[in-house]
């Protein structure tokens, strides 16, 4: 009986994965939520320039209708104190008059440190994946916005899984850093496989990679 249930579950997940990936890799990609109701937003911040770019992106997105995007969840690396302070400052400065914003900042271990070998990063990524589970379950995002730090990969995989089982809408939007002019980062190459939208800020990237969409320079 257990074997039968396991087989049916795996068959269901494989079928759902095939369907979702087919839609993502064709022109029938599912649109981002456009309803007037609130949109649950999850963002993953990296250290240094990644966080600065992410907050500029969010500033543009939230300027027109800040109250629509709530709750807003952020996931950062557990050693990234600077990103936490920047996010807190960003949210304080943009707080709505009614004070009805819901903001949550969570921390997980880094998936890969700068200079870490790819072999050992397999194990640290799996550990980071495990630690991301409760925070992603709490966020249940309609949109996941990421822009490149290695910390985002475990979160993206978890959101994809929750989407497969129907827990959340989980549209994944990846914005490549403006620093990437001729080639995608490692995160970008991985997310080409299953992100709903891969947005780039240089036209040559869109010419080189089929699934990339050139949207001009977002960062001032």
């Amino acid at each position: 009986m257990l074997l039968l249930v396991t087989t049916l579950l795996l068959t269901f997940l494989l079928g759902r994965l095939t369907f979702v990936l087919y839609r993502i890799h064709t022109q029938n990609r599912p649109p981002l939520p456009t309803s007037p109701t609130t949109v649950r937003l999850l963002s993953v911040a990296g250290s240094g320039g990644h966080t600065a770019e992410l907050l500029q992106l969010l500033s543009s997105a939230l300027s027109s209708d800040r109250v629509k995007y709530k709750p807003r969840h952020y996931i950062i690396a557990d050693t990234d104190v600077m990103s936490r302070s920047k996010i807190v400052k960003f949210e304080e400065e943009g707080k709505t008059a009614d004070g009805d914003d819901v903001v949550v900042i969570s921390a997980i271990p880094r998936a890969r440190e700068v200079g870490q070998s790819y072999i050992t990063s397999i194990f640290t990524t799996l550990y980071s994946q495990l630690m991301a589970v409760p925070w992603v379950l709490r966020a249940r995002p309609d949109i996941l916005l990421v822009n490149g730090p290695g910390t985002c990969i475990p979160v993206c995989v978890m959101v994809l899984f929750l989407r497969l089982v129907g827990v959340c809408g989980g549209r994944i939007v990846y914005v490549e850093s403006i620093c990437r002019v001729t080639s995608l980062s490692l995160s970008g190459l991985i997310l080409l496989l299953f992100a709903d939208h891969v947005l780039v800020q240089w036209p040559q990237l869109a010419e080189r990679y089929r699934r990339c969409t050139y949207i001009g320079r977002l960062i001032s």
Side-chain angles (χ1 to χ4, degrees):
M1 183 64 179
L2 180 59
L3 179 60
L4 176 61
V5 172
T6 302
T7 302
L8 290 175
L9 179 60
L10 291 176
T11 302
F12 167 75
L13 290 176
L14 181 60
R16 280 285 295 160
L17 178 62
T18 302
F19 173 73
V20 169
L21 291 180
Y22 171 78
R23 294 196 67 187
I24 288 173
H25 283 265
T26 65
Q27 297 303 314
N28 296 319
R29 284 179 291 180
L32 298 177
T34 56
S35 67
T37 58
T38 58
V39 175
R40 302 176 67 92
L41 177 63
L42 172 60
S43 305
V44 181
S47 57
H50 284 299
T51 297
E53 287 190 355
L54 179 69
L55 294 181
Q56 287 197 39
L57 289 169
L58 287 173
S59 179
S60 299
L62 301 179
S63 61
S64 59
D65 192 359
R66 193 180 188 90
V67 296
K68 179 177 180 178
Y69 295 93
K70 64 179 184 181
R72 293 189 295 278
H73 290 256
Y74 297 87
I75 290 181
I76 62 175
D78 53 6
T79 57
D80 192 358
V81 178
M82 184 175 294
S83 288
R84 180 184 290 273
S85 63
K86 287 182 178 179
I87 292 169
V88 170
K89 181 180 179 181
F90 170 78
E91 288 291 346
E92 285 291 330
E93 291 176 348
K95 187 176 294 184
T96 56
D98 58 12
D100 195 31
D101 285 349
V102 179
V103 178
V104 180
I105 304 175
S106 309
I108 63 174
R110 290 185 186 274
R112 181 174 181 267
E113 297 287 353
V114 176
Q116 182 180 349
S117 71
Y118 291 121
I119 298 298
T120 59
S121 66
I122 294 174
F123 301 101
T124 53
T125 298
L126 290 175
Y127 178 61
S128 183
Q129 178 78 66
L130 180 63
M131 294 297 101
V133 170
W135 304 125
V136 177
L137 280 172
R138 181 180 180 180
R140 301 191 312 280
D142 297 309
I143 297 177
L144 169 61
L145 177 64
V146 295
N147 73 327
T151 306
C152 77
I153 300 300
V155 177
C156 290
V157 171
M158 186 61 194
V159 167
L160 176 64
F161 176 77
L162 293 184
R163 177 174 167 184
L164 294 180
V165 298
V167 173
C168 68
R171 303 295 186 259
I172 301 173
V173 180
Y174 175 74
V175 182
E176 184 60 277
S177 171
I178 195 171
C179 298
R180 306 299 302 200
V181 179
T182 60
S183 63
L184 292 177
S185 62
L186 178 60
S187 295
L189 291 173
I190 293 172
L191 290 174
L192 270 179
L193 300 175
F194 63 90
D196 293 275
H197 301 274
V198 179
L199 311 179
V200 296
Q201 302 182 58
W202 294 94
Q204 51 266 46
L205 288 177
E207 294 170 1
R208 180 175 180 181
Y209 301 97
R210 182 181 63 86
R211 292 197 57 237
C212 291
T213 302
Y214 171 60
I215 54 172
R217 297 188 185 184
L218 298 178
I219 308 302
S220 58

